[in-house]
Amino acid sequence: MSIESDLRKDGITVVGTLDTLSVNTIARDVAEKLCKAFPNQNFIFQNLFIALARIPMYIADIPDGFAEATYFYKNSSMYFKQGLKLDELEKFAVHEFIHYLQEIKDKKGHLIRLGLCNYGDLKICGMGLNEGAVQLMASKAIDSKEEIVKYYGISLPTTSPSYYPILCNLVKQMAYVVGEETLYDSTFYGSNTFQERFSDLCGVDNFFKIQSNLDKIMESEEKAIMLNNKLINDNYEGMKAQKIAKKVENYKEKIKKLFFETQNLIYSSYFDKQFFKISTTADIDEYRVRLYNYKNYIGISENYSDFNEFYINKMMDLDNKYEKIMNNTELTVVKSSKIAIFFKKLRAILSATVELKK
């Protein structure tokens, strides 16, 4: 199958070649942004600029609902949606240039890994995780500010309101657990460090479950977009239109369900496992701060209360843990802090609330 056929399969039709001046301008801008945003990666601007400027770039017709820029690994080329201004091209290029930097091919030129995504003989695993990570990094490079958005009935914080907001939010929650630098390093270079670290903190099975859910979310979003485009462009009416619209709604409900299932698994697996590592009152203080700050990352919906319930239960568990530490001379004791007093008061309030409800 030719490259043109492969592109048409993805709905991409080449219109023309991007001029040299625009290519160099985009490559320079992206190289500068990546060097500034990721100083720990030790990029050399001149080398990065030359590498990016050598990528063949084209203008193309790309279907609505899909990315305005696409890196096609089979011919190592970049395709930009027709009609975009130069500053828009620069912004959308960041994500795709990261894909270029992260690809790993075998001796025959076959893609075997793309950052956090593995291209096996039978199955591709981790595409959702990788796309979420890359878009998080692209948003960081263009200095996108965080805002609250609502998709599929979920309100969530994200620095990528228009592109993969659901995936970006969940991957950022994973990065909170592991550390952003670990995520950046593995995403750029395809190392297993992020996977191994997350598995160590949250469990191996939980990592693969989360990875699988992210792939399902990405697949469901793409199918919903394709069906919605079909509904609009093909001018369906009556029962046919209702049937397609129903399928779109089903995919949206599936995404919502997968989101909360994945979010709950991330924080519960991490904080449950870390709870058993607590041995001092200083550990309690650190744990409390980590759990409290996690609320800034989660998505919520009208009937979602899982995290609040988890938070309250863990605060009560911490109070019990504190008392056990204070009464057990074999465990290390740190001087009583204001937070310990807070735990006692919180427990008393919660106990009183339960009694009143009865």
mmCIF file of all heavy atoms in Angstrom, residues 84-130:
data_model
loop_
_atom_site.group_PDB
_atom_site.id
_atom_site.type_symbol
_atom_site.label_atom_id
_atom_site.label_comp_id
_atom_site.label_asym_id
_atom_site.label_seq_id
_atom_site.Cartn_x
_atom_site.Cartn_y
_atom_site.Cartn_z
ATOM 1 N N LEU A 84 -4.518 27.107 8.011
ATOM 2 C CA LEU A 84 -3.985 27.593 9.284
ATOM 3 C C LEU A 84 -2.940 28.686 9.058
ATOM 4 O O LEU A 84 -2.170 28.646 8.094
ATOM 5 C CB LEU A 84 -3.331 26.440 10.059
ATOM 6 C CG LEU A 84 -4.259 25.308 10.532
ATOM 7 C CD1 LEU A 84 -3.428 24.217 11.209
ATOM 8 C CD2 LEU A 84 -5.329 25.822 11.473
ATOM 9 N N LYS A 85 -2.908 29.657 9.972
ATOM 10 C CA LYS A 85 -1.892 30.700 9.925
ATOM 11 C C LYS A 85 -0.588 30.162 10.501
ATOM 12 O O LYS A 85 -0.573 29.147 11.191
ATOM 13 C CB LYS A 85 -2.360 31.925 10.716
ATOM 14 C CG LYS A 85 -3.606 32.593 10.135
ATOM 15 C CD LYS A 85 -4.040 33.778 10.983
ATOM 16 C CE LYS A 85 -5.286 34.434 10.407
ATOM 17 N NZ LYS A 85 -5.748 35.582 11.255
ATOM 18 N N LEU A 86 0.513 30.880 10.234
ATOM 19 C CA LEU A 86 1.830 30.405 10.641
ATOM 20 C C LEU A 86 1.926 30.202 12.158
ATOM 21 O O LEU A 86 2.476 29.196 12.618
ATOM 22 C CB LEU A 86 2.919 31.380 10.184
ATOM 23 C CG LEU A 86 4.362 30.936 10.469
ATOM 24 C CD1 LEU A 86 4.652 29.598 9.803
ATOM 25 C CD2 LEU A 86 5.347 31.994 9.988
ATOM 26 N N ASP A 87 1.375 31.146 12.948
ATOM 27 C CA ASP A 87 1.463 30.993 14.403
ATOM 28 C C ASP A 87 0.655 29.796 14.882
ATOM 29 O O ASP A 87 1.000 29.154 15.883
ATOM 30 C CB ASP A 87 0.999 32.277 15.108
ATOM 31 C CG ASP A 87 -0.444 32.642 14.784
ATOM 32 O OD1 ASP A 87 -0.938 32.225 13.723
ATOM 33 O OD2 ASP A 87 -1.077 33.332 15.601
ATOM 34 N N GLU A 88 -0.417 29.463 14.166
ATOM 35 C CA GLU A 88 -1.198 28.273 14.507
ATOM 36 C C GLU A 88 -0.426 27.010 14.142
ATOM 37 O O GLU A 88 -0.445 26.016 14.884
ATOM 38 C CB GLU A 88 -2.541 28.301 13.777
ATOM 39 C CG GLU A 88 -3.475 29.416 14.238
ATOM 40 C CD GLU A 88 -4.747 29.469 13.424
ATOM 41 O OE1 GLU A 88 -4.669 29.431 12.173
ATOM 42 O OE2 GLU A 88 -5.829 29.540 14.040
ATOM 43 N N LEU A 89 0.253 27.048 13.014
ATOM 44 C CA LEU A 89 1.082 25.911 12.612
ATOM 45 C C LEU A 89 2.147 25.626 13.659
ATOM 46 O O LEU A 89 2.414 24.474 14.006
ATOM 47 C CB LEU A 89 1.745 26.183 11.261
ATOM 48 C CG LEU A 89 0.839 26.327 10.032
ATOM 49 C CD1 LEU A 89 1.680 26.644 8.808
ATOM 50 C CD2 LEU A 89 0.040 25.057 9.809
ATOM 51 N N GLU A 90 2.769 26.688 14.171
ATOM 52 C CA GLU A 90 3.819 26.540 15.184
ATOM 53 C C GLU A 90 3.273 25.887 16.446
ATOM 54 O O GLU A 90 3.922 25.022 17.042
ATOM 55 C CB GLU A 90 4.424 27.914 15.503
ATOM 56 C CG GLU A 90 5.207 28.521 14.347
ATOM 57 C CD GLU A 90 5.611 29.957 14.620
ATOM 58 O OE1 GLU A 90 5.229 30.504 15.676
ATOM 59 O OE2 GLU A 90 6.297 30.550 13.768
ATOM 60 N N LYS A 91 2.074 26.310 16.854
ATOM 61 C CA LYS A 91 1.476 25.765 18.083
ATOM 62 C C LYS A 91 1.143 24.285 17.933
ATOM 63 O O LYS A 91 1.470 23.471 18.798
ATOM 64 C CB LYS A 91 0.204 26.547 18.423
ATOM 65 C CG LYS A 91 -0.480 26.073 19.699
ATOM 66 C CD LYS A 91 -1.688 26.926 20.040
ATOM 67 C CE LYS A 91 -2.814 26.725 19.059
ATOM 68 N NZ LYS A 91 -4.063 27.410 19.462
ATOM 69 N N PHE A 92 0.526 23.922 16.814
ATOM 70 C CA PHE A 92 0.119 22.538 16.614
ATOM 71 C C PHE A 92 1.302 21.623 16.300
ATOM 72 O O PHE A 92 1.218 20.405 16.487
ATOM 73 C CB PHE A 92 -0.915 22.449 15.491
ATOM 74 C CG PHE A 92 -2.197 23.162 15.812
ATOM 75 C CD1 PHE A 92 -2.717 24.107 14.931
ATOM 76 C CD2 PHE A 92 -2.874 22.901 16.988
ATOM 77 C CE1 PHE A 92 -3.904 24.762 15.225
ATOM 78 C CE2 PHE A 92 -4.063 23.557 17.289
ATOM 79 C CZ PHE A 92 -4.585 24.496 16.410
ATOM 80 N N ALA A 93 2.404 22.206 15.834
ATOM 81 C CA ALA A 93 3.570 21.398 15.467
ATOM 82 C C ALA A 93 4.267 20.793 16.677
ATOM 83 O O ALA A 93 4.904 19.735 16.562
ATOM 84 C CB ALA A 93 4.562 22.253 14.675
ATOM 85 N N VAL A 94 4.160 21.426 17.833
ATOM 86 C CA VAL A 94 4.896 20.968 19.015
ATOM 87 C C VAL A 94 4.568 19.518 19.340
ATOM 88 O O VAL A 94 5.462 18.690 19.544
ATOM 89 C CB VAL A 94 4.604 21.864 20.242
ATOM 90 C CG1 VAL A 94 5.345 21.339 21.464
ATOM 91 C CG2 VAL A 94 5.003 23.304 19.961
ATOM 92 N N HIS A 95 3.288 19.201 19.400
ATOM 93 C CA HIS A 95 2.857 17.838 19.721
ATOM 94 C C HIS A 95 3.452 16.829 18.738
ATOM 95 O O HIS A 95 4.010 15.798 19.146
ATOM 96 C CB HIS A 95 1.325 17.773 19.681
ATOM 97 C CG HIS A 95 0.752 16.432 20.023
ATOM 98 N ND1 HIS A 95 0.059 16.189 21.182
ATOM 99 C CD2 HIS A 95 0.747 15.249 19.345
ATOM 100 C CE1 HIS A 95 -0.335 14.933 21.216
ATOM 101 N NE2 HIS A 95 0.068 14.343 20.095
ATOM 102 N N GLU A 96 3.349 17.144 17.447
ATOM 103 C CA GLU A 96 3.799 16.194 16.424
ATOM 104 C C GLU A 96 5.324 16.086 16.374
ATOM 105 O O GLU A 96 5.862 15.009 16.081
ATOM 106 C CB GLU A 96 3.242 16.607 15.055
ATOM 107 C CG GLU A 96 1.735 16.730 15.015
ATOM 108 C CD GLU A 96 1.014 15.487 15.523
ATOM 109 O OE1 GLU A 96 1.489 14.364 15.245
ATOM 110 O OE2 GLU A 96 -0.028 15.636 16.187
ATOM 111 N N PHE A 97 6.015 17.172 16.661
ATOM 112 C CA PHE A 97 7.478 17.104 16.685
ATOM 113 C C PHE A 97 7.971 16.255 17.842
ATOM 114 O O PHE A 97 9.005 15.597 17.746
ATOM 115 C CB PHE A 97 8.073 18.510 16.775
ATOM 116 C CG PHE A 97 8.122 19.236 15.454
ATOM 117 C CD1 PHE A 97 8.580 20.540 15.372
ATOM 118 C CD2 PHE A 97 7.719 18.610 14.288
ATOM 119 C CE1 PHE A 97 8.631 21.216 14.152
ATOM 120 C CE2 PHE A 97 7.763 19.268 13.068
ATOM 121 C CZ PHE A 97 8.216 20.576 13.001
ATOM 122 N N ILE A 98 7.238 16.271 18.945
ATOM 123 C CA ILE A 98 7.604 15.380 20.058
ATOM 124 C C ILE A 98 7.470 13.929 19.604
ATOM 125 O O ILE A 98 8.307 13.079 19.935
ATOM 126 C CB ILE A 98 6.733 15.657 21.302
ATOM 127 C CG1 ILE A 98 7.045 17.047 21.868
ATOM 128 C CG2 ILE A 98 6.985 14.594 22.382
ATOM 129 C CD1 ILE A 98 6.166 17.460 23.045
ATOM 130 N N HIS A 99 6.427 13.634 18.820
ATOM 131 C CA HIS A 99 6.285 12.278 18.265
ATOM 132 C C HIS A 99 7.505 11.906 17.427
ATOM 133 O O HIS A 99 7.998 10.769 17.499
ATOM 134 C CB HIS A 99 5.024 12.192 17.392
ATOM 135 C CG HIS A 99 3.764 11.979 18.166
ATOM 136 N ND1 HIS A 99 3.705 11.237 19.326
ATOM 137 C CD2 HIS A 99 2.494 12.424 17.935
ATOM 138 C CE1 HIS A 99 2.464 11.220 19.781
ATOM 139 N NE2 HIS A 99 1.718 11.942 18.961
ATOM 140 N N TYR A 100 7.972 12.861 16.641
ATOM 141 C CA TYR A 100 9.155 12.606 15.816
ATOM 142 C C TYR A 100 10.366 12.259 16.688
ATOM 143 O O TYR A 100 11.126 11.322 16.397
ATOM 144 C CB TYR A 100 9.466 13.824 14.951
ATOM 145 C CG TYR A 100 10.857 13.825 14.355
ATOM 146 C CD1 TYR A 100 11.168 13.029 13.262
ATOM 147 C CD2 TYR A 100 11.870 14.627 14.901
ATOM 148 C CE1 TYR A 100 12.447 13.026 12.719
ATOM 149 C CE2 TYR A 100 13.146 14.631 14.364
ATOM 150 C CZ TYR A 100 13.433 13.823 13.279
ATOM 151 O OH TYR A 100 14.699 13.813 12.761
ATOM 152 N N LEU A 101 10.545 12.984 17.775
ATOM 153 C CA LEU A 101 11.691 12.783 18.652
ATOM 154 C C LEU A 101 11.623 11.463 19.413
ATOM 155 O O LEU A 101 12.658 10.893 19.777
ATOM 156 C CB LEU A 101 11.802 13.939 19.655
ATOM 157 C CG LEU A 101 12.114 15.314 19.060
ATOM 158 C CD1 LEU A 101 12.003 16.390 20.139
ATOM 159 C CD2 LEU A 101 13.503 15.336 18.436
ATOM 160 N N GLN A 102 10.399 10.973 19.661
ATOM 161 C CA GLN A 102 10.258 9.802 20.529
ATOM 162 C C GLN A 102 10.191 8.473 19.770
ATOM 163 O O GLN A 102 10.232 7.410 20.393
ATOM 164 C CB GLN A 102 9.025 9.943 21.427
ATOM 165 C CG GLN A 102 7.716 9.977 20.705
ATOM 166 C CD GLN A 102 6.511 10.063 21.632
ATOM 167 O OE1 GLN A 102 5.388 10.043 21.192
ATOM 168 N NE2 GLN A 102 6.713 10.154 22.920
ATOM 169 N N GLU A 103 10.095 8.511 18.440
ATOM 170 C CA GLU A 103 9.916 7.254 17.711
ATOM 171 C C GLU A 103 11.192 6.398 17.721
ATOM 172 O O GLU A 103 12.309 6.896 17.634
ATOM 173 C CB GLU A 103 9.477 7.519 16.272
ATOM 174 C CG GLU A 103 10.513 8.176 15.404
ATOM 175 C CD GLU A 103 10.038 8.333 13.953
ATOM 176 O OE1 GLU A 103 8.875 8.026 13.663
ATOM 177 O OE2 GLU A 103 10.861 8.765 13.124
ATOM 178 N N ILE A 104 10.984 5.089 17.867
ATOM 179 C CA ILE A 104 12.065 4.106 17.833
ATOM 180 C C ILE A 104 11.707 3.062 16.780
ATOM 181 O O ILE A 104 10.649 2.428 16.856
ATOM 182 C CB ILE A 104 12.260 3.421 19.207
ATOM 183 C CG1 ILE A 104 12.626 4.462 20.276
ATOM 184 C CG2 ILE A 104 13.346 2.347 19.122
ATOM 185 C CD1 ILE A 104 12.691 3.894 21.682
ATOM 186 N N LYS A 105 12.575 2.886 15.785
ATOM 187 C CA LYS A 105 12.301 1.957 14.689
ATOM 188 C C LYS A 105 13.342 0.839 14.669
ATOM 189 O O LYS A 105 14.465 1.003 15.158
ATOM 190 C CB LYS A 105 12.318 2.693 13.344
ATOM 191 C CG LYS A 105 11.214 3.730 13.189
ATOM 192 C CD LYS A 105 11.289 4.412 11.826
ATOM 193 C CE LYS A 105 10.153 5.417 11.639
ATOM 194 N NZ LYS A 105 10.216 6.093 10.320
ATOM 195 N N ASP A 106 12.956 -0.298 14.080
ATOM 196 C CA ASP A 106 13.914 -1.387 13.929
ATOM 197 C C ASP A 106 14.757 -1.156 12.674
ATOM 198 O O ASP A 106 14.613 -0.133 11.991
ATOM 199 C CB ASP A 106 13.203 -2.739 13.887
ATOM 200 C CG ASP A 106 12.232 -2.868 12.705
ATOM 201 O OD1 ASP A 106 12.358 -2.087 11.735
ATOM 202 O OD2 ASP A 106 11.357 -3.747 12.747
ATOM 203 N N LYS A 107 15.621 -2.098 12.354
ATOM 204 C CA LYS A 107 16.527 -1.944 11.229
ATOM 205 C C LYS A 107 15.798 -1.860 9.885
ATOM 206 O O LYS A 107 16.320 -1.315 8.910
ATOM 207 C CB LYS A 107 17.525 -3.103 11.195
ATOM 208 C CG LYS A 107 18.490 -3.105 12.386
ATOM 209 C CD LYS A 107 19.460 -4.274 12.302
ATOM 210 C CE LYS A 107 20.421 -4.252 13.487
ATOM 211 N NZ LYS A 107 21.368 -5.408 13.446
ATOM 212 N N LYS A 108 14.584 -2.382 9.825
ATOM 213 C CA LYS A 108 13.802 -2.342 8.589
ATOM 214 C C LYS A 108 12.938 -1.083 8.496
ATOM 215 O O LYS A 108 12.206 -0.914 7.522
ATOM 216 C CB LYS A 108 12.918 -3.586 8.494
ATOM 217 C CG LYS A 108 13.712 -4.884 8.359
ATOM 218 C CD LYS A 108 12.766 -6.075 8.222
ATOM 219 C CE LYS A 108 13.554 -7.367 8.064
ATOM 220 N NZ LYS A 108 12.648 -8.558 7.919
ATOM 221 N N GLY A 109 13.040 -0.224 9.514
ATOM 222 C CA GLY A 109 12.276 1.003 9.490
ATOM 223 C C GLY A 109 10.876 0.879 10.052
ATOM 224 O O GLY A 109 10.064 1.805 9.937
ATOM 225 N N HIS A 110 10.576 -0.258 10.680
ATOM 226 C CA HIS A 110 9.261 -0.460 11.280
ATOM 227 C C HIS A 110 9.224 0.156 12.673
ATOM 228 O O HIS A 110 10.166 -0.025 13.464
ATOM 229 C CB HIS A 110 8.930 -1.953 11.370
ATOM 230 C CG HIS A 110 8.882 -2.629 10.043
ATOM 231 N ND1 HIS A 110 9.328 -3.911 9.836
ATOM 232 C CD2 HIS A 110 8.449 -2.185 8.833
ATOM 233 C CE1 HIS A 110 9.170 -4.246 8.578
ATOM 234 N NE2 HIS A 110 8.637 -3.202 7.945
ATOM 235 N N LEU A 111 8.167 0.859 12.976
ATOM 236 C CA LEU A 111 8.020 1.487 14.282
ATOM 237 C C LEU A 111 7.766 0.420 15.338
ATOM 238 O O LEU A 111 6.855 -0.390 15.212
ATOM 239 C CB LEU A 111 6.854 2.488 14.260
ATOM 240 C CG LEU A 111 6.674 3.357 15.501
ATOM 241 C CD1 LEU A 111 7.842 4.318 15.657
ATOM 242 C CD2 LEU A 111 5.363 4.150 15.408
ATOM 243 N N ILE A 112 8.585 0.417 16.385
ATOM 244 C CA ILE A 112 8.410 -0.559 17.457
ATOM 245 C C ILE A 112 8.027 0.100 18.785
ATOM 246 O O ILE A 112 7.492 -0.548 19.680
ATOM 247 C CB ILE A 112 9.682 -1.417 17.665
ATOM 248 C CG1 ILE A 112 10.893 -0.533 17.969
ATOM 249 C CG2 ILE A 112 9.944 -2.280 16.442
ATOM 250 C CD1 ILE A 112 12.161 -1.334 18.276
ATOM 251 N N ARG A 113 8.319 1.398 18.885
ATOM 252 C CA ARG A 113 7.935 2.112 20.103
ATOM 253 C C ARG A 113 7.814 3.599 19.816
ATOM 254 O O ARG A 113 8.593 4.159 19.034
ATOM 255 C CB ARG A 113 8.967 1.868 21.209
ATOM 256 C CG ARG A 113 8.594 2.540 22.529
ATOM 257 C CD ARG A 113 9.157 1.814 23.717
ATOM 258 N NE ARG A 113 8.710 2.416 24.960
ATOM 259 C CZ ARG A 113 8.560 1.774 26.092
ATOM 260 N NH1 ARG A 113 8.802 0.477 26.152
ATOM 261 N NH2 ARG A 113 8.165 2.391 27.184
ATOM 262 N N LEU A 114 6.827 4.204 20.448
ATOM 263 C CA LEU A 114 6.623 5.642 20.335
ATOM 264 C C LEU A 114 6.434 6.163 21.751
ATOM 265 O O LEU A 114 5.321 6.220 22.265
ATOM 266 C CB LEU A 114 5.409 5.956 19.461
ATOM 267 C CG LEU A 114 5.248 7.398 18.980
ATOM 268 C CD1 LEU A 114 6.361 7.760 18.000
ATOM 269 C CD2 LEU A 114 3.885 7.590 18.323
ATOM 270 N N GLY A 115 7.546 6.526 22.393
ATOM 271 C CA GLY A 115 7.485 6.997 23.764
ATOM 272 C C GLY A 115 6.962 5.945 24.718
ATOM 273 O O GLY A 115 7.598 4.915 24.953
ATOM 274 N N LEU A 116 5.757 6.139 25.248
ATOM 275 C CA LEU A 116 5.145 5.215 26.199
ATOM 276 C C LEU A 116 4.285 4.167 25.513
ATOM 277 O O LEU A 116 3.683 3.326 26.189
ATOM 278 C CB LEU A 116 4.269 6.003 27.190
ATOM 279 C CG LEU A 116 4.987 7.106 27.980
ATOM 280 C CD1 LEU A 116 3.968 7.933 28.755
ATOM 281 C CD2 LEU A 116 6.019 6.519 28.929
ATOM 282 N N CYS A 117 4.242 4.203 24.197
ATOM 283 C CA CYS A 117 3.399 3.288 23.413
ATOM 284 C C CYS A 117 4.247 2.212 22.746
ATOM 285 O O CYS A 117 5.235 2.520 22.063
ATOM 286 C CB CYS A 117 2.625 4.079 22.360
ATOM 287 S SG CYS A 117 1.591 3.083 21.282
ATOM 288 N N ASN A 118 3.854 0.950 22.923
ATOM 289 C CA ASN A 118 4.551 -0.171 22.305
ATOM 290 C C ASN A 118 3.786 -0.684 21.092
ATOM 291 O O ASN A 118 2.579 -0.961 21.180
ATOM 292 C CB ASN A 118 4.712 -1.318 23.309
ATOM 293 C CG ASN A 118 5.722 -0.995 24.388
ATOM 294 O OD1 ASN A 118 6.875 -0.701 24.112
ATOM 295 N ND2 ASN A 118 5.286 -1.041 25.643
ATOM 296 N N TYR A 119 4.484 -0.816 19.970
ATOM 297 C CA TYR A 119 3.893 -1.341 18.742
ATOM 298 C C TYR A 119 4.276 -2.805 18.591
ATOM 299 O O TYR A 119 5.303 -3.150 18.027
ATOM 300 C CB TYR A 119 4.366 -0.541 17.530
ATOM 301 C CG TYR A 119 3.673 0.792 17.372
ATOM 302 C CD1 TYR A 119 3.932 1.843 18.249
ATOM 303 C CD2 TYR A 119 2.744 1.000 16.366
ATOM 304 C CE1 TYR A 119 3.292 3.065 18.120
ATOM 305 C CE2 TYR A 119 2.092 2.217 16.222
ATOM 306 C CZ TYR A 119 2.372 3.239 17.115
ATOM 307 O OH TYR A 119 1.726 4.446 16.981
ATOM 308 N N GLY A 120 3.442 -3.694 19.147
ATOM 309 C CA GLY A 120 3.715 -5.119 19.041
ATOM 310 C C GLY A 120 3.242 -5.684 17.716
ATOM 311 O O GLY A 120 2.610 -5.003 16.901
ATOM 312 N N ASP A 121 3.538 -6.967 17.480
ATOM 313 C CA ASP A 121 3.134 -7.611 16.229
ATOM 314 C C ASP A 121 1.622 -7.762 16.137
ATOM 315 O O ASP A 121 1.043 -7.695 15.047
ATOM 316 C CB ASP A 121 3.796 -8.989 16.123
ATOM 317 C CG ASP A 121 5.310 -8.890 15.979
ATOM 318 O OD1 ASP A 121 5.775 -7.871 15.448
ATOM 319 O OD2 ASP A 121 6.014 -9.827 16.409
ATOM 320 N N LEU A 122 0.975 -7.961 17.292
ATOM 321 C CA LEU A 122 -0.461 -8.211 17.289
ATOM 322 C C LEU A 122 -1.279 -7.060 17.860
ATOM 323 O O LEU A 122 -2.450 -6.908 17.524
ATOM 324 C CB LEU A 122 -0.768 -9.488 18.090
ATOM 325 C CG LEU A 122 -0.091 -10.769 17.597
ATOM 326 C CD1 LEU A 122 -0.405 -11.922 18.545
ATOM 327 C CD2 LEU A 122 -0.550 -11.106 16.184
ATOM 328 N N LYS A 123 -0.679 -6.253 18.718
ATOM 329 C CA LYS A 123 -1.459 -5.226 19.401
ATOM 330 C C LYS A 123 -0.610 -4.011 19.736
ATOM 331 O O LYS A 123 0.567 -4.142 20.058
ATOM 332 C CB LYS A 123 -2.060 -5.821 20.682
ATOM 333 C CG LYS A 123 -3.046 -4.912 21.386
ATOM 334 C CD LYS A 123 -3.647 -5.623 22.605
ATOM 335 C CE LYS A 123 -4.646 -4.732 23.317
ATOM 336 N NZ LYS A 123 -5.227 -5.392 24.507
ATOM 337 N N ILE A 124 -1.219 -2.838 19.661
ATOM 338 C CA ILE A 124 -0.570 -1.596 20.081
ATOM 339 C C ILE A 124 -1.063 -1.265 21.489
ATOM 340 O O ILE A 124 -2.265 -1.177 21.724
ATOM 341 C CB ILE A 124 -0.902 -0.439 19.125
ATOM 342 C CG1 ILE A 124 -0.417 -0.754 17.711
ATOM 343 C CG2 ILE A 124 -0.272 0.868 19.614
ATOM 344 C CD1 ILE A 124 -0.839 0.268 16.672
ATOM 345 N N CYS A 125 -0.139 -1.088 22.423
ATOM 346 C CA CYS A 125 -0.508 -0.821 23.819
ATOM 347 C C CYS A 125 0.084 0.510 24.291
ATOM 348 O O CYS A 125 1.249 0.801 24.024
ATOM 349 C CB CYS A 125 0.003 -1.941 24.734
ATOM 350 S SG CYS A 125 -0.679 -3.561 24.365
ATOM 351 N N GLY A 126 -0.724 1.288 24.969
ATOM 352 C CA GLY A 126 -0.224 2.522 25.565
ATOM 353 C C GLY A 126 -0.369 3.754 24.704
ATOM 354 O O GLY A 126 0.208 4.798 25.026
ATOM 355 N N MET A 127 -1.172 3.689 23.643
ATOM 356 C CA MET A 127 -1.322 4.853 22.777
ATOM 357 C C MET A 127 -2.035 5.993 23.510
ATOM 358 O O MET A 127 -1.661 7.160 23.380
ATOM 359 C CB MET A 127 -2.083 4.498 21.500
ATOM 360 C CG MET A 127 -2.194 5.660 20.520
ATOM 361 S SD MET A 127 -2.930 5.202 18.925
ATOM 362 C CE MET A 127 -1.612 4.212 18.222
ATOM 363 N N GLY A 128 -3.059 5.663 24.282
ATOM 364 C CA GLY A 128 -3.773 6.688 25.035
ATOM 365 C C GLY A 128 -2.883 7.355 26.058
ATOM 366 O O GLY A 128 -2.899 8.585 26.212
ATOM 367 N N LEU A 129 -2.091 6.559 26.760
ATOM 368 C CA LEU A 129 -1.147 7.090 27.739
ATOM 369 C C LEU A 129 -0.127 7.992 27.069
ATOM 370 O O LEU A 129 0.169 9.094 27.557
ATOM 371 C CB LEU A 129 -0.438 5.930 28.448
ATOM 372 C CG LEU A 129 0.697 6.284 29.416
ATOM 373 C CD1 LEU A 129 0.199 7.182 30.545
ATOM 374 C CD2 LEU A 129 1.320 5.006 29.988
ATOM 375 N N ASN A 130 0.393 7.558 25.925
ATOM 376 C CA ASN A 130 1.402 8.349 25.236
ATOM 377 C C ASN A 130 0.832 9.647 24.685
ATOM 378 O O ASN A 130 1.456 10.714 24.813
ATOM 379 C CB ASN A 130 2.022 7.540 24.094
ATOM 380 C CG ASN A 130 3.231 8.224 23.491
ATOM 381 O OD1 ASN A 130 4.233 8.452 24.163
ATOM 382 N ND2 ASN A 130 3.143 8.581 22.219
#
